């Protein structure tokens, strides 16, 4: 079988550990796939690039897929996008991280919070967390500051009072004096975070490649969840994020591989998590639409072929 070369675009972050594992441990190569991996600075770059065909596959928030398919993305598009989710990943690992002087939600009033984009990604989760804690959107100012890495760096520089971060950035922030105010899962226990996405047109032509990619990804997850691979997983994470240090790398792995709140072990899409995304997008998305059917943005036929179901 000829080696297939695919391009993938992801955000920086620990949730890439299964993909890094699939690449490093040879699970992709064993299935005759080479991945050219790129890291995005923000969701606009990632989603617009995927829709335009610059990259074949992406790991992105399920909400981003829905947003651009519904014409609610941050960037206007020419033509009709045809993105879909082919597998799940995690619940987002979302934590509200704030400056040291912020002791409560009330302290956020009059301050600036950073987001990737106002209309996509996890901004809706942040807005809901504020509302459920008695802080209205008029009480704060939102500022676009890019992906999690860029927002983390801006928060460290005290350019903003808080932002929603993903693992391991909240751990790195706490180690540097920032404060984790709350986990999103405390308020939204089911949320479909990172998901695998591609264009339907690309997937139809490359069905076998996509199936093999999913198989390698699932094999990597199985490898990560084996207890005898714990030290290897930590070392692999350190290779990609050397600034973590061994102790934080271990804590990150413990978080990512937690039996209840870690990666979805079989990369399935969580039905209630996807429904939460629909509810938040119905509440906050513009132009306003009543969205109730997450299956519109999902095609599990490739996943089913990969797993033999």
């Amino acid at each position: 079988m000829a080696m297939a070369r695919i391009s993938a675009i992801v955000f920086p972050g620990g949730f890439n550990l299964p993909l890094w594992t699939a690449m490093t441990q040879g699970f992709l190569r064993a299935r005759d796939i080479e991945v050219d991996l790129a890291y995005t600075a923000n969701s606009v770059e990632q989603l617009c690039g995927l829709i335009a065909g610059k990259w074949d596959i992406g790991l992105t928030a399920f909400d981003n897929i829905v947003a651009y398919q519904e014409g609610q993305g941050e960037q206007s598009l020419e033509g009709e996008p045809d993105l879909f989710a082919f597998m799940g990943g995690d619940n987002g690992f979302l934590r509200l991280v704030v400056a040291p002087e912020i002791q409560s939600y009330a302290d956020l009033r009059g301050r600036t919070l950073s987001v990737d984009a106002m209309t996509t990604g996890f901004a809706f989760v942040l807005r809901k967390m504020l509302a459920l804690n008695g802080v209205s959107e008029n009480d704060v100012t939102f500022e676009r500051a890019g992906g999690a890495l860029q927002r983390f760096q801006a928060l460290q520089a005290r350019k903003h009072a808080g932002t929603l971060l993903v693992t391991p950035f909240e751990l790195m922030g706490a180690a540097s004096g920032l404060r984790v105010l709350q986990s999103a899962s405390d308020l939204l226990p089911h949320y479909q975070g990172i998901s695998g996405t591609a264009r339907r047109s690309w997937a139809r032509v490359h069905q076998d490649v996509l199936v093999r990619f999913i198989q390698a990804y699932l094999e990597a997850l199985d490898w990560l969840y084996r207890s005898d691979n714990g030290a290897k997983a930590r070392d692999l994470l350190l290779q990609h994020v050397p600034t973590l240090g061994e102790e934080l790398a271990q804590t990150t792995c413990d978080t990512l591989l937690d039996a209840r709140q870690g990666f979805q072990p079989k990369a399935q899409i969580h039905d209630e998590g996807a429904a939460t995304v629909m509810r938040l997008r119905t509440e906050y998305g513009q132009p306003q639409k009543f969205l109730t059917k997450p299956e519109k943005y999902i095609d599990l036929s490739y996943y089913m072929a990969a797993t033999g179901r």
Side-chain angles (χ1 to χ4, degrees), residues 209-224:
V209 175
L210 182 54
V211 168
R212 285 185 278 133
F213 174 87
I214 296 170
Q215 289 172 332
Y217 194 93
L218 293 175
E219 196 171 1
L221 279 169
D222 288 341
W223 184 92
L224 284 168

Side-chain angles (χ1 to χ4, degrees), residues 37-143:
L37 188 58
Y39 296 94
T40 188
N42 55 64
S43 60
V44 172
E45 177 190 47
Q46 184 190 48
L47 273 294
C48 290
L50 282 165
I51 291 167
K54 185 175 181 179
W55 296 287
D56 304 319
I57 286 174
L59 295 181
T60 194
F62 181 64
D63 178 83
N64 287 337
I65 302 168
V66 178
Y68 278 87
Q69 286 302 119
E70 289 294 338
Q72 295 176 325
E74 194 85 352
Q75 185 76 32
S76 298
L77 301 171
E78 293 184 7
E80 292 293 324
D82 67 341
L83 293 178
F84 74 103
F86 58 80
M87 69 177 187
D90 56 52
N91 68 358
F93 302 111
L94 299 172
R95 276 80 172 175
L96 177 53
V97 182
V98 297
E101 67 273 15
I102 304 297
Q103 300 290 320
S104 68
Y105 276 89
D107 293 337
L108 291 172
R109 292 190 175 95
R111 306 296 293 272
T112 298
L113 304 177
S114 65
V115 296
D116 172 11
M118 283 301 297
T119 62
T120 59
F122 302 132
F124 295 168
V125 175
L126 175 58
R127 292 164 71 179
K128 192 65 174 179
M129 292 174 72
L130 291 170
L132 291 174
N133 282 277
V135 179
S136 76
E137 295 190 25
N138 293 329
D139 291 332
V140 299
T141 300
F142 294 105
E143 184 173 313

Side-chain angles (χ1 to χ4, degrees), residues 6-305:
I6 61 176
S7 57
I9 178 74
V10 301
F11 283 92
F15 55 79
N16 294 307
L17 189 57
L19 182 54
W20 293 334
T21 299
M23 297 171 70
T24 304
Q25 294 297 317
F27 299 137
L28 283 162
R29 179 169 284 277
R31 297 184 183 280
D32 298 302
I33 295 176
E34 289 277 3
V35 173
D36 295 322
L37 188 58
Y39 296 94
T40 188
N42 55 64
S43 60
V44 172
E45 177 190 47
Q46 184 190 48
L47 273 294
C48 290
L50 282 165
I51 291 167
K54 185 175 181 179
W55 296 287
D56 304 319
I57 286 174
L59 295 181
T60 194
F62 181 64
D63 178 83
N64 287 337
I65 302 168
V66 178
Y68 278 87
Q69 286 302 119
E70 289 294 338
Q72 295 176 325
E74 194 85 352
Q75 185 76 32
S76 298
L77 301 171
E78 293 184 7
E80 292 293 324
D82 67 341
L83 293 178
F84 74 103
F86 58 80
M87 69 177 187
D90 56 52
N91 68 358
F93 302 111
L94 299 172
R95 276 80 172 175
L96 177 53
V97 182
V98 297
E101 67 273 15
I102 304 297
Q103 300 290 320
S104 68
Y105 276 89
D107 293 337
L108 291 172
R109 292 190 175 95
R111 306 296 293 272
T112 298
L113 304 177
S114 65
V115 296
D116 172 11
M118 283 301 297
T119 62
T120 59
F122 302 132
F124 295 168
V125 175
L126 175 58
R127 292 164 71 179
K128 192 65 174 179
M129 292 174 72
L130 291 170
L132 291 174
N133 282 277
V135 179
S136 76
E137 295 190 25
N138 293 329
D139 291 332
V140 299
T141 300
F142 294 105
E143 184 173 313
R144 296 171 179 83
L149 174 60
Q150 287 75 20
R151 298 198 309 278
F152 171 66
Q153 292 171 337
L155 186 56
Q156 279 193 313
R158 304 296 191 268
K159 294 181 179 179
H160 312 114
T163 192
L164 212 57
L165 293 179
V166 300
T167 301
F169 294 111
E170 88 281 11
L171 299 172
M172 296 166 67
S176 66
L178 298 174
R179 180 187 300 276
V180 178
L181 193 59
Q182 190 174 39
S183 294
S185 60
D186 294 342
L187 300 173
L188 302 171
H190 304 295
Y191 185 82
Q192 182 59 49
I194 294 299
S195 306
T197 187
R199 300 182 308 284
R200 294 180 189 271
S201 55
W202 179 89
R204 284 193 294 267
V205 175
H206 300 89
Q207 177 177 351
D208 184 56
V209 175
L210 182 54
V211 168
R212 285 185 278 133
F213 174 87
I214 296 170
Q215 289 172 332
Y217 194 93
L218 293 175
E219 196 171 1
L221 279 169
D222 288 341
W223 184 92
L224 284 168
Y225 272 105
R226 280 174 43 190
S227 58
D228 56 334
N229 286 327
K232 294 177 183 177
R234 179 201 63 211
D235 292 344
L236 176 59
L237 182 63
L238 270 173
Q239 289 177 26
H240 288 272
V241 195
T243 54
L244 275 177
E246 189 169 307
E247 183 177 350
L248 275 185
Q250 185 60 61
T251 305
T252 298
C253 283
D254 292 343
T255 300
L256 297 175
L257 300 172
D258 179 78
R260 295 182 65 246
Q261 292 290 329
F263 293 127
Q264 214 298 325
K266 297 299 181 184
Q268 294 173 314
I269 292 177
H270 192 285
D271 291 341
E272 182 56 33
T276 299
V277 171
M278 296 290 101
R279 288 192 292 270
L280 289 175
R281 181 146 290 282
T282 295
E283 183 174 358
Y284 294 114
Q286 293 295 329
Q288 192 168 27
K289 297 183 179 183
F290 186 63
L291 305 178
T292 60
K293 297 181 178 180
E295 60 271 18
K296 176 182 176 182
Y297 318 98
I298 300 168
D299 182 350
L300 295 180
S301 62
Y302 304 95
Y303 180 92
M304 294 165 66

